[in-house]
Amino acid sequence: MISEHMKPLVAGNSAIRAMFEEGRRMAGEFGAENVYDFSLGNPNVPAPKEVNEAIVDIIENEDSHKVHGYMPNAGHPEVRKAVADNLNGRYGTDYTAENVIMTVGAGSALNVMLKTILDPDDEVIVFAPYFVEYRSYISNYYGKTVELETTGDEGFMPDPDKLASLINERTKAVIINNPNNPTGVIYPADVIAKLAGVLLAKEKEIGHSIYLISDEPYREIAYDGARVPWLPDFYQNTIIGYSFSKSLSLPGERIGYVLVPSQIEGADEFIAAATIANRVSGDVNAPSLIQLAVARCLDAKVDVDFYRKNRDLLLEIMDLAGFEYVKPEGAFYLWVKSPVDDDKEFVQAGKKEHILMVPGSSFAGPGYVRLSYCVSKDMILRSKDAFLRLGEAFK
């Protein structure tokens, strides 16, 4: 008998993963070339050559015990220093290795942060639509997810007044995902400044820290000169969760980090607790070999222009098919307005054309669907006629 805590998670198993598995089934039935799978954010761009070169050199030339053995739970000290130094060079900060905890991807980073701060029934505010797993991560520590709805009329920007109205004595954190999955919007500096102002005022009012958790796996993927603000510049109690899954196309390697700036309230205690949370989660430490490899590749980049070209091609197809959408400023997702109120009905209609989309309701954003365009250009081109037929079906 499974636990009562797990039953709703089983019942609400990720629609993204379910659609991905459906894509594999359909590819076997109809042929992979006849299925257009836009469901999963699995980067199509290869990792930079520097990553493979680093891995080979480390295996051939580093001490085997170091490469494959245990290290401090927070990660290899020289890797953490390399990350801190890289951030200092980019943002004019003064972080040290002590501010960095290497983690098993951004998902682990978020769990480490939430385990560090949450007591049962504490509340975490998220901006809907949001990454589907946030609710599960918060639930892991018996916290409560509080949704702040954003709308297309507001450009999917969070309203500061709405944020203020949701904060109470149980509020421990606000999660912000910038650039955003699933909408592709980037929250600009003026919006961040207003949100920071609300949090500062509310901290004084309720008498305890409210952490701004910045989930940043798409930080490096921005288009057309758009800039992603560095949140610790705006709000003292900001903590960062990062992943190299997208910036270096390494999703299967599960490597990321938590950044705990010294400026946050009780930083030393937070770092100590987060390091222990990393260990007792069962991860123990982030993968050793890939830690050492990414430390050598912090200035390497995937081909972001590949994603931009895919975006622009998909937008052309959406225009021809007559669909409304939010033009992505970052990440690699297209947020398309469903032509009918029921986004799941639209998803099912897409499947009849062998198009796999994820319903927006899975992201607490009903009335939209998400298309992931970190796919081959060829697949996007092949999907054109199917999208045109889908558009015709809803005219």
Side-chain angles (χ1 to χ4, degrees):
M1 176 86 58
I2 67 171
S3 73
E4 292 300 318
H5 183 68
M6 282 301 299
K7 286 180 180 179
L9 299 181
V10 172
N13 192 27
S14 172
I16 303 171
R17 288 286 174 174
M19 196 62 71
F20 176 64
E21 293 299 327
E22 177 72 357
R24 297 180 66 177
R25 184 196 67 77
M26 290 176 65
E29 181 177 352
F30 302 110
E33 72 279 5
N34 298 314
V35 177
Y36 318 112
D37 188 351
F38 295 92
S39 64
L40 189 63
N42 193 15
N44 181 262
V45 176
K49 62 181 178 61
E50 294 94 327
V51 176
N52 291 336
E53 292 170 352
I55 291 172
V56 171
D57 184 65
I58 290 165
I59 291 173
E60 291 182 346
N61 297 303
E62 290 280 4
D63 177 78
S64 178
H65 180 72
K66 177 178 181 179
V67 174
H68 301 300
Y70 285 130
M71 81 290 296
N73 296 127
H76 288 293
E78 67 272 31
V79 172
R80 293 155 56 207
K81 181 180 186 302
V83 170
D85 290 346
N86 182 267
L87 293 173
N88 293 340
R90 296 175 63 186
Y91 300 109
T93 48
D94 57 357
Y95 305 130
T96 71
E98 297 304 311
N99 298 112
V100 178
I101 301 169
M102 302 304 296
T103 62
V104 184
S108 176
L110 288 166
N111 274 272
V112 164
M113 291 185 278
L114 293 167
K115 185 173 182 63
T116 298
I117 64 175
L118 290 184
D119 289 313
D121 298 322
D122 280 345
E123 297 182 0
V124 179
I125 298 172
V126 298
F127 302 152
Y130 58 94
F131 176 53
V132 62
E133 300 291 9
Y134 288 168
R135 179 177 289 275
S136 297
Y137 296 163
I138 294 164
S139 173
N140 283 345
Y141 312 104
Y142 303 97
K144 178 182 176 182
T145 302
V146 178
E147 297 175 357
L148 189 165
E149 180 184 359
T150 67
T151 68
D153 293 338
E154 302 167 326
F156 292 101
M157 295 293 154
D159 184 300
D161 292 333
K162 289 182 182 178
L163 176 62
S165 71
L166 294 175
I167 295 173
N168 59 57
E169 289 78 7
R170 300 301 310 188
T171 304
K172 277 291 186 69
V174 175
I175 298 178
I176 187 168
N177 177 212
N178 204 24
N180 179 262
N181 173 17
T183 63
V185 304
I186 293 176
Y187 304 122
D190 62 327
V191 170
I192 299 299
K194 291 175 183 177
L195 298 177
V198 169
L199 294 177
L200 284 168
K202 285 294 182 176
E203 280 188 326
K204 294 178 182 177
E205 179 182 319
I206 64 179
H208 67 71
S209 298
I210 303 171
Y211 295 100
L212 183 58
I213 297 175
S214 186
D215 180 27
E216 301 186 357
Y218 304 98
R219 183 200 301 154
E220 321 305 338
I221 303 176
Y223 312 114
D224 307 323
R227 297 181 63 84
V228 180
W230 182 242
L231 266 63
D233 287 345
F234 294 82
Y235 183 65
Q236 174 183 341
N237 284 324
T238 297
I239 44 181
I240 305 286
Y242 187 78
S243 169
F244 294 97
S245 293
K246 277 63 179 184
S247 62
L248 293 179
S249 284
L250 298 173
E253 302 300 342
R254 310 308 309 147
I255 186 70
Y257 60 80
V258 172
L259 174 73
V260 185
S262 297
Q263 69 196 40
I264 76 164
E265 187 175 343
D268 290 344
E269 183 180 36
F270 193 109
I271 291 168
T275 302
I276 294 169
N278 195 35
R279 183 185 78 230
V280 301
S281 68
D283 292 335
V284 182
N285 52 254
S288 178
L289 170 60
I290 204 67
Q291 277 193 57
L292 297 169
V294 298
R296 299 186 183 190
C297 305
L298 295 171
D299 292 320
K301 296 179 181 178
V302 295
D303 183 6
V304 174
D305 199 48
F306 175 91
Y307 294 135
R308 182 194 61 77
K309 290 176 180 177
N310 272 8
R311 177 200 67 172
D312 293 347
L313 179 57
L314 194 55
L315 295 185
E316 290 178 15
I317 294 173
M318 294 299 108
D319 288 336
L320 289 171
F323 295 128
E324 299 178 43
Y325 54 80
V326 178
K327 184 177 180 180
E329 298 174 287
F332 39 57
Y333 304 108
L334 182 60
W335 193 234
V336 179
K337 188 172 179 60
S338 172
V340 290
D341 290 340
D342 186 351
D343 49 45
K344 294 181 180 178
E345 177 185 337
F346 184 43
V347 168
Q348 290 303 312
K351 284 175 64 177
K352 293 178 182 178
E353 296 293 345
H354 300 173
I355 300 169
L356 298 178
M357 309 175 286
V358 182
S361 50
S362 296
F363 302 93
Y368 286 79
V369 297
R370 192 195 76 172
L371 304 181
S372 175
Y373 54 85
C374 56
V375 297
S376 70
K377 177 182 177 181
D378 179 64
M379 193 190 83
I380 296 176
L381 289 169
R382 285 188 285 107
S383 73
K384 178 179 177 180
D385 289 343
F387 275 116
L388 294 180
R389 290 191 297 269
L390 186 60
E392 283 294 323
F394 286 95
K395 284 185 178 178

